Amino acid sequence: MKVALIGTHGVGKTTLCYELAARLKRRDVDVELVREVARHCPLPINRETNEQAQSWILHTQMAWELEAQAHHFLVLCDRSVLDNYCYLLYAEGPQPHWEPLLSRWLATYDLLVKVPLWTRPHWDGVRDTDEAFQRAIDELLDREIARRGLSVLRLEKDQRARWGDVVMEALEPMVAPIPPLFPEEEKLP
């Protein structure tokens, strides 16, 4: 199973990702995090990004997801290919040659969780702090979600304290143990 937190930069995806991973681990769910790929990109990112950098990011995102899925029951991604693609759209415009792969890859996520824009970005050594850029990425992401007809769990910005609970409620049917067909047999010595 694969779950991705999506949204523009600086809205709390990473924090929520770690919270969810801890909660899932406490439930004995075999979970692996796919951390934000862009932070490892050797090429320009943020407003200075280009097609080469975003191609590296998209390919690396896919590779890390494949690696995690090969070894773990649940993969929790701090971003998806879709929000990474939005940075490419911002920098270079439409990329028709990416569309078939993106469409196929988006179908591999069992749940997409949209973290809303609720605060301005803060400098962390990597993140771009330009608010107009942050908003532009958020708008592109919303447009791409609508254009592709994606089903997304949208978190509410005024409910931040409950985000973890909301996502866990959505995950519950996916991670809850399947009840035994013959519960009386489980009681036998």
Side-chain angles (χ1 to χ4, degrees):
M1 177 169 44
K2 188 166 56 170
V3 175
L5 302 181
I6 61 176
T8 191
H9 53 284
V11 294
K13 291 181 306 299
T14 302
T15 302
L16 180 57
C17 207
Y18 281 105
E19 175 190 340
L20 293 169
R23 290 173 79 163
L24 289 161
K25 288 274 190 194
R26 282 193 296 274
R27 294 198 50 198
D28 292 324
V29 175
D30 176 27
V31 62
E32 177 68 282
L33 289 177
V34 172
R35 295 182 9 223
E36 188 177 10
V37 172
R39 291 181 177 274
H40 302 277
C41 184
L43 303 165
I45 61 170
N46 296 315
R47 286 176 287 163
E48 295 77 38
T49 198
N50 56 38
E51 184 176 0
Q52 186 180 22
Q54 290 307 131
S55 292
W56 185 94
I57 290 168
L58 282 161
H59 284 108
T60 304
Q61 176 84 29
M62 291 178 202
W64 286 8
E65 288 179 17
L66 285 169
E67 181 181 5
Q69 282 184 287
H71 303 287
H72 301 279
F73 169 73
L74 191 149
V75 175
L76 187 55
C77 304
D78 184 358
R79 287 206 177 277
S80 74
V81 293
L82 184 62
D83 33 350
N84 283 320
Y85 180 65
C86 288
Y87 288 88
L88 176 57
L89 285 176
Y90 178 88
E92 302 284 344
Q95 303 290 309
H97 60 281
W98 272 101
E99 289 297 327
L101 179 57
L102 284 173
S103 292
R104 284 192 303 275
W105 201 266
L106 284 167
T108 69
Y109 296 103
D110 296 285
L111 179 64
L112 293 171
V113 179
K114 173 71 165 48
V115 180
L117 175 56
W118 64 276
T119 187
R120 60 183 196 66
H122 301 282
W123 175 247
D124 66 357
V126 176
R127 181 181 296 137
D128 194 304
T129 59
D130 183 80
E131 291 178 56
F133 177 54
Q134 182 192 39
R135 258 190 324 279
I137 297 300
D138 191 62
E139 289 166 5
L140 274 171
L141 185 54
D142 282 337
R143 207 168 341 168
E144 285 297 304
I145 289 168
R147 181 175 78 83
R148 296 166 187 278
L150 297 173
S151 175
V152 174
L153 172 61
R154 290 182 177 271
L155 301 176
E156 299 296 327
K157 61 182 167 184
D158 60 343
Q159 296 288 316
R160 283 191 0 260
R162 285 201 17 83
W163 285 357
D165 295 333
V166 170
V167 178
M168 288 301 291
E169 287 169 16
L171 289 176
E172 184 66 30
M174 296 183 233
V175 300
I178 299 169
L181 288 174
F182 306 103
E184 62 280 355
E185 288 182 7
E186 288 194 350
K187 295 177 186 175
L188 297 175

